[in-house]
Amino acid sequence: AKFTPGTTKLQVRRAAFLQLASDGLSAPSEAISPTLVGDFSVAMCSSGYVVNWATGECDPCPAGTYWTKRRSDLPYCVACADGTYSSTEASTECEACAAGTYMPSGAVNRSACLEAPVGTFVPEKEAVKWEPCMSGSVAETEGNFVCEVCPENAECAYEVGNGSATAIASAGFFKYGEDAFVSCR
């Protein structure tokens, strides 16, 4: 059969490894597509897009995934690996989480890295978990890549698995400003 761009119409059986963009890991299907029209000698989606067999259109890979051609040279969307993310649709690669952030194993939403919680830190990029601050150190905000030394005239108690959330003034002192502890007179 001769295919004429814009006028040739045909229906195709869904092939293994092609998927709906909304279905992250779809299985092969025996369903028939709607009528497709176009020049089938060049019918393909651009990088970052996959065929949506329900509409015959190219849909972008969703945020949190990236586009690849690994199986049989057919494109599909894959979830970003632990420690990485993609914040936009139609990504062709995932980015490493920066120090101070992480992407845990099993995370469903991989469109943004999580910040290290208060009392913890993430020292390296592409991390999958945070680490608690040790005794004598403090992390009073989220997203730290190091814990600060406990300020002079303050106490930073260590709690197992929780780190130190705040520096508390030692007896006879009060907190003044962001991180200064001065003597009560």
Side-chain angles (χ1 to χ4, degrees):
K2 182 177 179 184
F3 296 112
T4 306
T7 59
T8 301
K9 297 180 180 183
L10 78 132
Q11 293 181 312
V12 295
R13 192 169 295 283
R14 292 186 193 177
F17 308 124
L18 291 179
Q19 67 187 51
L20 299 174
S22 62
D23 184 3
L25 299 170
S26 67
S29 173
E30 295 300 318
I32 302 294
S33 76
T35 301
L36 304 176
V37 178
D39 179 358
F40 297 100
S41 63
V42 294
M44 65 179 352
C45 297
S46 300
S47 296
Y49 294 80
V50 293
V51 174
N52 178 331
W53 287 97
T55 64
E57 301 289 326
C58 292
D59 286 347
C61 288
T65 69
Y66 70 99
W67 177 89
T68 187
K69 285 175 118 178
R70 285 196 312 204
R71 296 186 267 179
S72 304
D73 284 334
L74 297 174
Y76 65 108
C77 304
V78 178
C80 292
D82 297 347
T84 67
Y85 74 103
S86 71
S87 60
T88 60
E89 292 183 335
S91 294
T92 56
E93 62 185 10
C94 296
E95 298 178 48
C97 293
T101 66
Y102 67 104
M103 179 60 67
S105 177
V108 175
N109 182 351
R110 294 177 176 266
S111 62
C113 297
L114 304 173
E115 290 187 323
V118 170
T120 70
F121 70 109
V122 177
E124 299 177 359
K125 67 179 188 171
E126 211 167 322
V128 297
K129 63 181 182 170
W130 51 262
E131 298 178 31
C133 293
M134 301 310 287
S135 185
S137 64
V138 65
E140 295 186 283
T141 60
E142 294 180 335
N144 289 289
F145 60 91
V146 295
C147 293
E148 301 293 328
V149 173
C150 191
E152 188 175 342
N153 303 317
E155 296 175 19
C156 300
Y158 178 70
E159 296 177 36
V160 175
N162 205 10
S164 173
T166 58
I168 300 169
S170 298
F173 293 86
F174 68 96
K175 189 170 185 175
Y176 181 76
E178 291 281 322
D179 56 1
F181 293 85
V182 294
S183 176
C184 299
R185 296 179 203 213

